[in-house]
Amino acid sequence: MESRPLRYFVAVAEELNFARAAERLGISPPPLSRAIRALETELGAVLFERTTHSVALTPAGTVLLAEARPALDALEAAGRRARRAADASPKLVLAVKADGDGDLLEPMLARYGAEPGALPVQVRLCGWREQPDLLRRGEADVALVHEPFDRAGLDAETLIAEPRVAALGAAHPLAAEESLTLTDLGLRPEEVDRYIEEHRHAGRDLAQLLTLVALDCRTPLLPLSVAARYPRPGVVFRLVADAPPSVLAIAWPERSRSTAVAALVRTASAVALTGTRSP
């Protein structure tokens, strides 16, 4: 099965309209219809129920759509990785959120860079939860990412688990306490992940989020390393003793055969094991 008819199929399946799909693909409707008919003949299955007024996926079409999207993504990712591998100056691309490295990034890169044959590492800063998609699309070779995350198509190794702290405005009633519990914050353990996601979306970045904290508009849960690295006037951090830990992992595409990626993963694990952190 070739990729072009699959791309045509996905366009029609997403638009459920041959004219709109053809416009999206930059072709006219007749050759698009012929390509879909040819694909159905090749598969021996009807993919769309067509009437004069509507287009709908058949059960076979629904299955193919679920399989075709990751297959096309994998093809594009393979092309990106091949082009980078053919580069005259090969490098590793490491995806990480700016405040999400658990203080491991600098010592990890320094230790890896000292190894014989180490490749240059390009750090790609990204947003919350963007790392897995960058790996799957072939735009990054390895990533530091907090769990939980979508592991589809990826391998990962846990690096560190660190306590969580609550960020509070200095005038917040709980700021006078030495430590807190989830009950103090009105939370149950099963609500922590949702609570963290809600506060992550409240600010575009950590600086904006801490501004909201100082104004007593937010009380996010953060990894202890973030509190240590980003002190801010008007904000206090209090340990939440019974909160689940913040777990940082290193992830890479499960089909990667790169010895450089393997070396960087080993280095990250060694740095995490020795407890070496950025000052």
Side-chain angles (χ1 to χ4, degrees):
M1 189 183 301
E2 297 181 359
S3 62
R4 180 177 294 178
L6 271 185
R7 296 183 194 282
Y8 287 3
F9 162 76
V10 169
V12 177
E14 291 178 346
E15 299 290 345
L16 292 178
N17 182 289
F18 275 80
R20 286 199 302 268
E23 182 178 1
R24 167 175 154 182
L25 293 165
I27 62 175
S28 60
L32 175 59
S33 295
R34 289 195 295 270
I36 295 299
R37 292 290 188 191
L39 180 60
E40 290 176 322
T41 299
E42 179 183 354
L43 295 175
V46 176
L47 302 174
F48 297 101
E49 294 289 351
R50 307 166 178 84
T51 70
T52 54
H53 301 293
S54 67
V55 176
L57 283 167
T58 64
T62 300
V63 170
L64 183 60
L65 180 60
E67 299 288 345
R69 282 171 169 156
L72 291 173
D73 289 344
L75 279 175
E76 291 182 1
R80 292 190 188 99
R81 294 190 187 102
R83 286 190 291 273
R84 287 217 313 275
D87 195 307
S89 302
K91 60 182 177 293
L92 289 178
V93 178
L94 169 65
V96 61
K97 192 175 184 302
D99 55 357
D101 67 329
D103 291 344
L104 294 180
L105 181 61
E106 292 176 23
M108 181 181 83
L109 294 181
R111 183 162 175 172
Y112 172 73
E115 293 191 2
L119 294 180
V121 178
Q122 175 185 324
V123 175
R124 174 162 177 174
L125 298 180
C126 58
W128 181 248
R129 304 287 193 217
E130 289 182 359
Q131 300 96 317
D133 283 342
L134 292 175
L135 291 173
R136 281 188 285 267
R137 293 199 302 264
E139 296 179 31
D141 301 294
V142 65
L144 295 177
V145 56
H146 280 93
E147 298 185 7
F149 61 92
D150 181 3
R151 291 175 175 250
L154 305 177
D155 282 332
E157 184 173 318
T158 297
L159 295 178
I160 57 172
E162 55 180 322
R164 293 190 192 273
V165 295
L168 307 163
H172 193 287
L174 293 175
E177 303 294 329
E178 291 187 5
S179 66
L180 304 174
T181 66
L182 291 177
T183 300
D184 293 329
L185 299 172
L187 288 173
R188 297 190 297 271
E190 63 270 20
E191 296 173 332
V192 169
D193 286 343
R194 176 187 54 78
Y195 184 82
I196 291 171
E197 290 290 340
E198 287 176 356
H199 285 82
R200 281 287 180 180
H201 290 300
R204 290 190 300 273
D205 54 33
L206 184 62
Q208 188 180 70
L209 181 58
L210 291 179
T211 297
L212 294 174
V213 171
L215 295 172
D216 262 341
C217 297
R218 291 282 169 178
T219 309
L221 287 174
L222 301 170
L224 180 61
S225 60
V226 170
R229 293 179 70 180
Y230 299 98
R232 184 184 177 98
V235 176
V236 299
F237 298 96
R238 295 292 181 261
L239 180 70
V240 182
D242 57 347
S246 174
V247 179
L248 181 69
I250 187 165
W252 62 96
E254 63 183 4
R255 294 185 180 181
S256 173
R257 298 296 181 267
S258 168
T259 56
V261 167
L264 186 57
V265 170
R266 286 195 303 270
T267 300
S269 298
V271 168
L273 188 62
T274 59
T276 307
R277 301 290 186 89
S278 299

